[in-house]
Amino acid sequence: MSKFRDALASGKFTFTGEIGPPKGTNVGPVIEEAVHYLKDCCAAVNVTDIQTAVMRMSSLAACRMLVEHGVEPVLQMVTRDRNRLALQSDLLGAAALGIENVLALTGDHTTMGDHKEAKPVYDLDSVGLLQAMRKLESGTDLGRTMKGEPNALDGTPRFFKGCVVTPCAEEVEPQIIKLEKKVAAGAEFVQTQAVYDPKAFEKFMKSIQHIKVPVLVGIVLLKNAGMAKYMNANVPGVVVPKDIVKRLADADKKEVKKVSVQIAGELIRDMKGMCQGAHIMPLGWDKEIPNVIAASGA
Amino acid sequence: MIVADRKPLEEILKHVAGCGRILVLGCGGCVTVCASGGDRQAEHLAAQLRLAAKGQGRAVEVTVKTPTRQCDREFLEPLRADIGPADAVISLACGVGVQLLAEVFEAKPVYPALNTTFMGAHTGPGTWTENCRGCGQCVLAETAGVCPVARCAKSLVNGACGGTNKGKCEVSKEIDCAWYLIYKRLKARGDLSFLRAEREPLDWGKSSSGIRRTLVHPELTDTVPASAPAAPKS
């Protein structure tokens, strides 16, 4: 049973965190941090799937390790690296390993990562992955028998299916249309791209009032003014307002982490009335997640 | 058209290092239009080969021919007399022509002078851009004439990913986001119904990712191909 699903269903403002598996086999520290800092304050912890196309340990393996340590994971699954056979196979494997929450993503293009020569797969897109999950839940899959009939699964999985959206995209209508399709394809929760502008988020949430799934606003901790400027220049659909950049730039070097946590906390405080939870992406600052939540007053 | 790009001279030279008689074959088809493998480029390559041999103090006889197309047997058969005496043939056709040439003249070493790259359009002076992936299930009628398979870096079927950025693709600020273009055109026509429809995954078995494809127009097949299975006995 997904505690994450239950938390959202209870109507309580729900937090999720995020970890990235290591590039190597040394998975101990990140699991330990998740147990230590995220377990108590987050309903579930996302585990990234070869994030930004930089090769790392599998999300599925790290998710299982979280389960073993009593932390509920959200398995992130991108469609970049596996075709529909492998994706469905891993979904069944996830179900067997006690992993119920799955976040469907397309995934950053291979050329953005550290294996630029890799063959990008993209057999399915994020909507197709949600369709695949729904098929598996109904006891069949995306394929068919030699006679052309639907395949029958021996044991059917159950997932808590999630998707993402970029609320502050320059052109938001296509984002909303795609979100509608993801929800039609079975998405039950939404975690958003990073939001730094509560007013823009409020407008976005009004425009998706007709979409009846819980939304967790995305919060990425800004480690310094340079990162904020970098995100403004390079990360699609992310706008860090000038006053936030200035606060980070003006902060004393020793104080910058504190300021960053404060900014994140204030953002959640300002947006918690608009949505059902917050997805905090600490980018390694896992220890700060409890402080962010405390600063938000939630 | 099929677009191709000249290989570096050094790579071509490696293959014909010991050859005294070389036949350089241009192609009058697509690669003439994209200025990579036509008669002019064949003559240019021939001159480079002669110069390279001269530099090494070797004697080499290089001749140039440019048939109408290399992807059709009827234009290859007449080349038999030219190909016969050559030690090697360098083809400036796309990979299709090179293979047919190698099949028709099986005993003759045939080397490609081009890297075949894509199916594209002439999009600006001296510029060709990929527009089609030959997916075998054309959706251009619904996407306002913009191909999401060829022009979206991820060949998505349900709209832009989160990497769409000010109308450009996440992989490069030089590349338009295909789904942004589709959205804009459909929006201008006042009909976003295609964008709103939940689409199933593509059948990649019909595409170049699948097995080798063959097209047969029965009305044009006046003889039974040698490779066709025998008709069942009644």
Side-chain angles (χ1 to χ4, degrees):
Chain A
M1 278 301 291
S2 166
K3 282 189 290 178
F4 177 34
R5 184 202 298 262
D6 294 344
L8 286 170
S10 77
K12 204 180 87 186
F13 194 81
T14 302
F15 288 97
T16 49
E18 184 170 298
I19 60 165
K23 195 176 186 72
T25 57
N26 186 24
V27 68
V30 71
I31 299 292
E32 239 166 71
E33 285 197 8
V35 171
H36 217 80
Y37 302 105
L38 309 188
K39 187 177 172 180
D40 295 333
C41 59
C42 295
V45 174
N46 285 41
V47 182
T48 55
D49 182 12
I50 316 186
Q51 194 175 13
T52 64
V54 172
M55 196 287 295
R56 286 162 175 275
M57 179 186 286
S58 81
S59 176
L60 185 57
C63 279
R64 175 59 199 173
M65 293 187 76
L66 286 183
V67 169
E68 285 167 8
H69 287 80
V71 180
E72 184 165 305
V74 177
L75 173 69
Q76 293 198 180
M77 259 193 152
V78 302
T79 63
R80 176 193 57 232
D81 307 313
R82 285 162 289 181
N83 67 11
R84 65 190 79 182
L85 288 164
L87 288 167
Q88 292 177 102
S89 171
D90 280 355
L91 282 166
L92 293 179
L97 292 171
I99 297 153
E100 192 173 338
N101 312 313
V102 182
L103 184 74
L105 300 147
T106 304
D108 292 331
H109 198 266
T110 44
T111 54
M112 318 274 288
D114 65 350
H115 286 60
K116 297 185 195 306
E117 302 80 6
K119 185 176 185 179
V121 179
Y122 300 115
D123 179 19
L124 308 181
D125 60 10
S126 51
V127 174
L129 180 55
L130 289 159
Q131 290 166 341
M133 283 192 255
R134 195 170 48 187
K135 283 260 189 186
L136 295 177
E137 287 177 318
S138 72
T140 182
D141 60 18
L142 291 175
R144 63 193 77 83
T145 67
M146 296 295 274
K147 288 181 186 164
E149 290 158 0
N151 290 311
L153 300 184
D154 180 11
T156 55
R158 186 180 183 214
F159 301 110
F160 186 43
K161 307 179 287 296
C163 68
V164 297
V165 71
T166 306
C168 300
E170 215 191 26
E171 199 73 65
V172 82
E173 188 180 24
Q175 287 288 322
I176 295 170
I177 291 173
K178 193 159 183 187
L179 179 63
E180 288 168 354
K181 290 206 267 191
K182 288 172 175 179
V183 172
E188 298 160 279
F189 70 90
V190 183
Q191 290 174 323
T192 81
Q193 173 60 288
V195 178
Y196 296 99
D197 182 349
K199 279 218 170 71
F201 186 64
E202 186 174 25
K203 197 172 154 210
F204 174 78
M205 289 306 292
K206 279 200 177 128
S207 64
I208 63 159
Q209 267 175 351
H210 60 293
I211 301 174
K212 304 290 181 205
V213 292
V215 174
L216 290 90
V217 64
I219 302 291
V220 171
L221 295 192
L222 294 166
K223 297 188 174 178
N224 47 55
M227 176 181 160
K229 286 178 196 161
Y230 175 86
M231 288 181 79
N232 275 337
N234 298 297
V235 182
V238 175
V239 184
V240 186
K242 279 182 195 143
D243 61 304
I244 290 183
V245 181
K246 189 170 184 310
R247 276 173 75 184
L248 288 162
D250 291 348
D252 188 83
K253 223 176 175 182
K254 285 181 204 151
E255 296 289 307
V256 74
K257 195 179 258 185
K258 219 166 145 186
V259 171
S260 167
V261 166
Q262 192 57 36
I263 290 168
E266 288 168 18
L267 285 169
I268 296 170
R269 183 197 65 203
D270 293 347
M271 294 190 280
K272 71 183 174 197
M274 308 170 191
C275 56
Q276 289 69 44
H279 175 57
I280 307 170
M281 295 166 265
L283 306 182
W285 281 7
D286 303 358
K287 289 178 195 171
E288 301 304 325
I289 286 189
N291 300 332
V292 170
I293 293 172
S296 77
Chain B
M1 80 187 83
I2 292 178
V3 177
D5 197 17
R6 236 297 292 275
K7 283 179 178 285
L9 180 64
E10 300 70 43
E11 186 183 337
I12 298 167
L13 282 173
K14 264 194 310 196
H15 299 300
V16 294
C19 299
R21 283 175 163 185
I22 301 168
L23 176 64
V24 174
L25 278 186
C27 177
C30 313
V31 291
T32 292
V33 186
C34 71
S36 294
D39 197 48
R40 266 183 77 174
Q41 291 78 34
E43 289 288 1
H44 178 67
L45 174 59
Q48 286 183 307
L49 293 171
R50 290 185 199 109
L51 206 63
K54 201 174 168 188
Q56 294 167 350
R58 278 194 304 117
V60 68
E61 191 189 315
V62 185
T63 48
V64 173
K65 288 271 170 178
T66 302
T68 306
R69 287 196 302 277
Q70 290 188 32
C71 55
D72 212 322
R73 279 172 198 270
E74 71 170 289
F75 300 115
L76 298 185
E77 287 299 341
L79 295 169
R80 207 164 276 283
D82 302 294
I83 284 174
D87 297 320
V89 180
I90 299 176
S91 166
L92 284 97
C94 68
V96 177
V98 174
Q99 289 188 61
L100 192 62
L101 201 59
E103 191 177 313
V104 172
F105 305 103
E106 211 180 288
K108 194 64 64 178
V110 177
Y111 302 110
L114 305 183
N115 290 316
T116 308
T117 44
F118 54 81
M119 285 187 275
H122 190 201
T123 50
T127 307
W128 285 265
T129 309
E130 184 170 22
N131 266 355
C132 179
R133 288 266 168 93
C135 74
Q137 48 205 310
C138 191
V139 294
L140 288 171
E142 290 151 307
T143 56
V146 178
C147 177
V149 179
R151 294 171 64 175
C152 165
K154 303 174 184 176
S155 299
L156 303 179
V157 297
N158 276 294
C161 68
T164 181
N165 199 8
K166 301 181 180 79
K168 300 294 175 185
C169 176
E170 70 179 17
V171 303
S172 164
K173 289 186 173 113
E174 307 296 311
I175 298 173
D176 290 329
C177 168
W179 280 104
Y180 178 82
L181 295 177
I182 294 168
Y183 165 70
K184 282 290 178 190
R185 283 195 197 171
L186 292 174
K187 180 95 175 158
R189 293 175 190 183
D191 183 8
L192 292 175
S193 55
F194 170 81
L195 208 57
R196 293 187 192 283
E198 191 188 321
R199 304 192 72 86
E200 302 275 317
L202 288 175
D203 178 356
W204 294 104
K206 289 180 178 156
S207 79
S208 57
S209 306
I211 53 177
R212 188 186 186 196
R213 295 167 289 179
T214 300
L215 169 71
V216 181
H217 283 307
E219 71 278 16
L220 299 177
T221 57
D222 47 7
T223 53
V224 179
S227 57
K233 281 177 190 145
S234 56

Coordinates of all heavy atoms in Angstrom, one line a residue, chain A residues 4 15-21 30-31 34 38 42-49 51 59-60 62-63 66 71-77 99 101-105 160 162-164 189-192 216 278-282 286 289:
Chain A
F4 N 2.1 7.2 0.4 CA 2.1 8.5 -0.3 C 0.7 8.8 -0.8 O 0.1 9.8 -0.6 CB 3.1 8.4 -1.4 CG 3.2 9.6 -2.3 CD1 3.0 10.9 -1.8 CD2 3.5 9.4 -3.7 CE1 3.1 12.0 -2.7 CE2 3.6 10.5 -4.5 CZ 3.4 11.8 -4.0
F15 N 4.7 16.2 1.7 CA 6.0 16.5 1.2 C 6.6 15.2 0.6 O 6.5 14.1 1.1 CB 6.9 16.9 2.3 CG 6.6 18.3 2.7 CD1 5.9 18.6 3.9 CD2 7.1 19.4 2.0 CE1 5.6 19.8 4.3 CE2 6.8 20.7 2.5 CZ 6.1 20.9 3.6
T16 N 7.3 15.4 -0.6 CA 8.2 14.4 -1.1 C 9.6 14.9 -1.2 O 9.8 16.1 -1.5 CB 7.7 13.8 -2.5 OG1 7.4 15.0 -3.3 CG2 6.4 13.0 -2.3
G17 N 10.6 14.1 -1.1 CA 12.0 14.5 -1.3 C 12.5 13.8 -2.5 O 11.8 13.2 -3.3
E18 N 13.8 13.9 -2.7 CA 14.4 13.3 -3.9 C 15.9 13.0 -3.6 O 16.6 13.8 -3.1 CB 14.3 14.3 -5.1 CG 14.8 13.7 -6.4 CD 14.4 14.6 -7.6 OE1 13.2 14.8 -7.8 OE2 15.3 15.1 -8.2
I19 N 16.3 11.8 -4.1 CA 17.7 11.5 -4.0 C 18.1 11.0 -5.4 O 17.3 10.6 -6.2 CB 18.0 10.4 -3.0 CG1 17.3 9.1 -3.3 CG2 17.7 10.9 -1.6 CD1 17.8 7.8 -2.5
G20 N 19.4 11.1 -5.6 CA 20.0 10.6 -6.9 C 21.0 9.4 -6.6 O 21.9 9.6 -5.7
P21 N 20.8 8.3 -7.2 CA 21.7 7.2 -6.9 C 23.2 7.6 -7.3 O 23.3 8.5 -8.2 CB 21.2 6.0 -7.8 CG 19.8 6.4 -8.1 CD 19.7 7.9 -8.1
V30 N 23.9 7.8 0.4 CA 22.6 8.5 0.0 C 21.4 7.8 0.7 O 20.4 8.4 1.0 CB 22.5 8.5 -1.6 CG1 22.3 7.1 -2.2 CG2 21.4 9.4 -2.0
I31 N 21.5 6.5 0.8 CA 20.4 5.8 1.5 C 20.3 6.2 3.0 O 19.3 6.5 3.5 CB 20.6 4.2 1.4 CG1 20.6 3.8 0.0 CG2 19.5 3.5 2.2 CD1 19.3 3.9 -0.8
A34 N 18.8 9.5 3.3 CA 17.4 9.5 3.1 C 16.7 9.0 4.4 O 15.6 9.5 4.8 CB 17.0 8.5 1.9
L38 N 15.0 12.3 5.5 CA 13.8 12.4 4.7 C 12.7 11.5 5.2 O 11.5 11.8 5.1 CB 14.1 12.1 3.2 CG 15.3 12.8 2.6 CD1 15.3 12.4 1.1 CD2 15.2 14.3 2.7
C42 N 9.1 13.2 4.9 CA 8.5 13.1 3.6 C 7.7 11.8 3.5 O 8.0 10.8 4.1 CB 9.6 13.0 2.6 SG 10.6 14.5 2.4
A43 N 6.5 11.9 2.8 CA 5.7 10.8 2.6 C 6.4 9.7 1.7 O 6.2 8.5 1.9 CB 4.3 11.2 2.0
A44 N 7.2 10.3 0.8 CA 7.9 9.4 -0.1 C 9.1 10.1 -0.7 O 9.2 11.4 -0.6 CB 7.0 9.0 -1.3
V45 N 10.0 9.4 -1.2 CA 11.3 9.9 -1.7 C 11.5 9.5 -3.1 O 11.6 8.3 -3.4 CB 12.5 9.5 -0.8 CG1 13.8 10.0 -1.5 CG2 12.3 10.0 0.6
N46 N 11.5 10.5 -4.0 CA 11.8 10.1 -5.5 C 13.2 9.7 -5.6 O 14.1 10.2 -5.0 CB 11.6 11.4 -6.3 CG 10.2 11.8 -6.5 OD1 9.4 11.7 -5.6 ND2 9.8 12.2 -7.7
V47 N 13.4 8.7 -6.5 CA 14.8 8.3 -6.8 C 14.9 8.5 -8.3 O 14.2 8.0 -9.2 CB 15.0 6.8 -6.5 CG1 16.4 6.4 -6.8 CG2 14.7 6.6 -5.0
T48 N 15.9 9.4 -8.7 CA 16.0 9.8 -10.1 C 16.5 8.7 -11.0 O 17.2 7.8 -10.5 CB 16.9 11.0 -10.2 OG1 18.2 10.7 -9.6 CG2 16.3 12.2 -9.6
D49 N 16.1 8.7 -12.2 CA 16.5 7.7 -13.2 C 17.5 8.2 -14.2 O 17.1 8.9 -15.2 CB 15.2 7.2 -13.9 CG 15.4 6.1 -14.9 OD1 16.5 5.5 -14.9 OD2 14.5 5.7 -15.6
Q51 N 19.5 10.7 -14.2 CA 19.1 12.1 -14.3 C 20.1 12.8 -15.2 O 21.3 12.6 -15.1 CB 19.1 12.7 -12.9 CG 18.4 14.0 -12.8 CD 18.3 14.6 -11.4 OE1 19.0 14.1 -10.5 NE2 17.5 15.6 -11.2
S59 N 17.7 3.4 -10.7 CA 16.7 3.9 -9.8 C 16.0 2.7 -9.1 O 15.7 2.8 -7.9 CB 15.7 4.7 -10.6 OG 14.6 5.2 -9.7
L60 N 15.7 1.7 -9.8 CA 15.0 0.5 -9.3 C 15.8 -0.1 -8.1 O 15.2 -0.4 -7.1 CB 14.8 -0.5 -10.4 CG 14.0 -1.8 -10.1 CD1 12.6 -1.4 -9.6 CD2 13.9 -2.7 -11.3
A62 N 18.1 1.4 -6.2 CA 18.1 2.3 -5.0 C 16.7 2.3 -4.4 O 16.6 2.5 -3.1 CB 18.6 3.7 -5.5
C63 N 15.7 2.3 -5.2 CA 14.3 2.3 -4.6 C 14.1 1.1 -3.7 O 13.5 1.2 -2.6 CB 13.2 2.2 -5.7 SG 12.9 3.8 -6.5
L66 N 15.7 1.6 -0.4 CA 14.9 2.5 0.4 C 13.8 1.7 1.1 O 13.6 1.9 2.3 CB 14.3 3.6 -0.4 CG 15.2 4.8 -0.8 CD1 14.4 5.9 -1.6 CD2 16.0 5.4 0.3
V71 N 11.9 3.4 4.0 CA 11.6 4.7 3.3 C 10.7 4.4 2.1 O 11.1 3.5 1.3 CB 12.8 5.4 2.9 CG1 12.5 6.8 2.2 CG2 13.7 5.7 4.1
E72 N 9.6 5.0 1.9 CA 8.8 4.7 0.7 C 9.3 5.5 -0.5 O 9.5 6.7 -0.5 CB 7.3 5.1 1.0 CG 6.4 4.8 -0.2 CD 5.0 4.8 0.2 OE1 4.6 4.1 1.1 OE2 4.2 5.5 -0.5
P73 N 9.7 4.8 -1.6 CA 10.2 5.4 -2.7 C 9.2 5.8 -3.8 O 8.1 5.2 -3.8 CB 11.2 4.4 -3.3 CG 10.5 3.1 -2.9 CD 9.7 3.3 -1.7
V74 N 9.6 6.8 -4.6 CA 8.9 7.0 -5.9 C 9.9 6.7 -7.0 O 10.9 7.3 -7.1 CB 8.4 8.5 -6.0 CG1 7.7 8.7 -7.4 CG2 7.5 8.9 -4.9
L75 N 9.6 5.6 -7.7 CA 10.5 5.2 -8.8 C 10.3 6.1 -10.0 O 9.2 6.2 -10.6 CB 10.1 3.8 -9.2 CG 10.8 3.2 -10.4 CD1 12.3 3.0 -10.1 CD2 10.2 1.9 -10.9
Q76 N 11.3 6.9 -10.3 CA 11.3 7.7 -11.5 C 11.6 6.8 -12.7 O 12.6 6.1 -12.6 CB 12.2 8.9 -11.4 CG 11.8 9.9 -10.3 CD 12.4 11.3 -10.4 OE1 12.1 12.2 -9.6 NE2 13.2 11.5 -11.5
M77 N 10.9 6.9 -13.7 CA 11.1 6.1 -14.9 C 11.1 7.0 -16.1 O 10.1 7.7 -16.4 CB 10.0 5.1 -15.1 CG 10.5 3.7 -14.6 SD 9.2 2.5 -15.1 CE 10.3 1.1 -15.2
I99 N 7.5 -1.8 -4.7 CA 7.6 -0.4 -5.1 C 6.3 0.0 -5.9 O 6.0 -0.6 -6.9 CB 8.8 -0.1 -6.0 CG1 10.1 -0.4 -5.2 CG2 8.8 1.3 -6.6 CD1 11.3 -0.7 -6.1
N101 N 4.9 3.5 -6.1 CA 4.8 4.8 -6.7 C 5.8 4.9 -7.9 O 7.0 4.6 -7.7 CB 5.2 5.9 -5.6 CG 4.5 5.7 -4.3 OD1 3.3 5.5 -4.3 ND2 5.3 5.7 -3.2
V102 N 5.2 5.4 -9.0 CA 6.1 5.5 -10.2 C 5.8 6.8 -10.8 O 4.6 7.2 -11.0 CB 5.8 4.4 -11.2 CG1 6.7 4.5 -12.4 CG2 5.9 3.0 -10.6
L103 N 6.9 7.5 -11.1 CA 6.7 8.8 -11.8 C 7.2 8.7 -13.3 O 8.3 8.3 -13.5 CB 7.6 9.9 -11.1 CG 7.5 11.3 -11.7 CD1 6.1 11.9 -11.3 CD2 8.6 12.2 -11.2
A104 N 6.3 8.9 -14.2 CA 6.6 8.8 -15.6 C 7.2 10.0 -16.2 O 6.6 11.1 -16.1 CB 5.3 8.4 -16.4
L105 N 8.3 9.9 -16.8 CA 9.0 11.0 -17.4 C 9.6 10.6 -18.8 O 9.8 9.5 -19.1 CB 10.2 11.4 -16.6 CG 10.0 11.8 -15.1 CD1 11.2 11.4 -14.3 CD2 9.8 13.3 -15.1
F160 N 0.9 3.6 -8.0 CA 0.4 5.0 -7.8 C 1.2 5.8 -8.8 O 2.4 6.0 -8.7 CB 0.6 5.4 -6.4 CG 0.0 6.8 -6.0 CD1 -1.3 7.1 -6.4 CD2 0.7 7.7 -5.3 CE1 -1.8 8.3 -6.1 CE2 0.2 8.9 -4.9 CZ -1.1 9.2 -5.4
G162 N 2.4 8.8 -11.3 CA 2.6 10.2 -11.3 C 3.2 10.7 -12.6 O 3.6 10.0 -13.4
C163 N 3.0 12.0 -12.7 CA 3.6 12.7 -13.9 C 4.1 14.1 -13.5 O 4.0 14.5 -12.4 CB 2.6 12.8 -15.0 SG 1.2 14.0 -14.6
V164 N 4.7 14.7 -14.5 CA 5.3 16.1 -14.2 C 4.7 17.1 -15.1 O 4.1 16.8 -16.2 CB 6.8 16.1 -14.3 CG1 7.5 15.2 -13.3 CG2 7.2 15.7 -15.7
F189 N -1.1 11.6 -9.6 CA -0.5 12.8 -8.9 C 0.5 13.5 -9.9 O 0.9 12.9 -10.9 CB 0.3 12.4 -7.6 CG 1.5 11.6 -7.8 CD1 2.8 12.2 -7.9 CD2 1.5 10.2 -7.9 CE1 3.9 11.5 -8.1 CE2 2.7 9.4 -8.1 CZ 3.9 10.1 -8.2
V190 N 0.7 14.8 -9.5 CA 1.6 15.6 -10.3 C 2.7 16.2 -9.5 O 2.4 16.7 -8.4 CB 0.8 16.7 -11.0 CG1 1.7 17.6 -11.9 CG2 -0.4 16.2 -11.8
Q191 N 3.9 16.1 -9.9 CA 5.0 16.8 -9.3 C 5.5 17.8 -10.3 O 5.8 17.4 -11.5 CB 6.2 15.9 -8.8 CG 5.7 15.0 -7.7 CD 6.8 13.9 -7.3 OE1 7.4 13.4 -8.2 NE2 6.9 13.6 -6.0
T192 N 5.7 19.1 -9.9 CA 6.0 20.1 -11.0 C 7.5 20.3 -11.1 O 8.3 20.0 -10.1 CB 5.3 21.4 -10.7 OG1 6.0 22.2 -9.7 CG2 3.8 21.2 -10.3
L216 N 1.9 18.5 -6.4 CA 3.0 18.8 -5.5 C 3.9 19.8 -6.2 O 4.5 19.5 -7.2 CB 3.8 17.6 -5.0 CG 3.0 16.6 -4.1 CD1 2.3 15.6 -5.0 CD2 4.0 15.9 -3.2
A278 N 4.4 19.6 -1.6 CA 5.6 20.1 -2.2 C 6.6 19.0 -2.4 O 6.8 18.1 -1.6 CB 6.2 21.2 -1.3
H279 N 7.2 19.0 -3.6 CA 8.2 18.1 -3.9 C 9.6 18.8 -3.8 O 9.8 19.7 -4.7 CB 8.0 17.5 -5.3 CG 9.1 16.6 -5.8 ND1 9.5 15.5 -5.1 CD2 9.9 16.7 -6.9 CE1 10.5 14.9 -5.7 NE2 10.8 15.6 -6.8
I280 N 10.4 18.5 -2.8 CA 11.6 19.2 -2.6 C 12.8 18.5 -3.2 O 13.1 17.3 -2.9 CB 11.9 19.4 -1.1 CG1 10.6 20.1 -0.5 CG2 13.1 20.3 -0.9 CD1 10.7 20.2 1.1
M281 N 13.4 19.2 -4.1 CA 14.6 18.6 -4.8 C 15.9 19.3 -4.2 O 16.2 20.4 -4.6 CB 14.5 18.8 -6.3 CG 13.3 18.0 -6.9 SD 12.9 18.5 -8.6 CE 11.6 19.7 -8.3
P282 N 16.6 18.6 -3.3 CA 17.7 19.2 -2.6 C 19.0 19.2 -3.4 O 19.9 19.9 -3.0 CB 17.8 18.4 -1.3 CG 17.3 17.1 -1.7 CD 16.3 17.2 -2.8
D286 N 20.4 17.1 1.1 CA 19.4 16.3 1.7 C 19.1 16.7 3.2 O 18.0 16.8 3.6 CB 19.7 14.8 1.7 CG 20.0 14.3 0.3 OD1 19.9 15.1 -0.7 OD2 20.4 13.1 0.1
I289 N 16.4 19.4 4.0 CA 14.9 19.2 3.8 C 14.1 19.4 5.0 O 13.1 20.2 5.0 CB 14.6 17.9 3.1 CG1 15.0 17.9 1.6 CG2 13.1 17.5 3.2 CD1 14.6 16.8 0.7

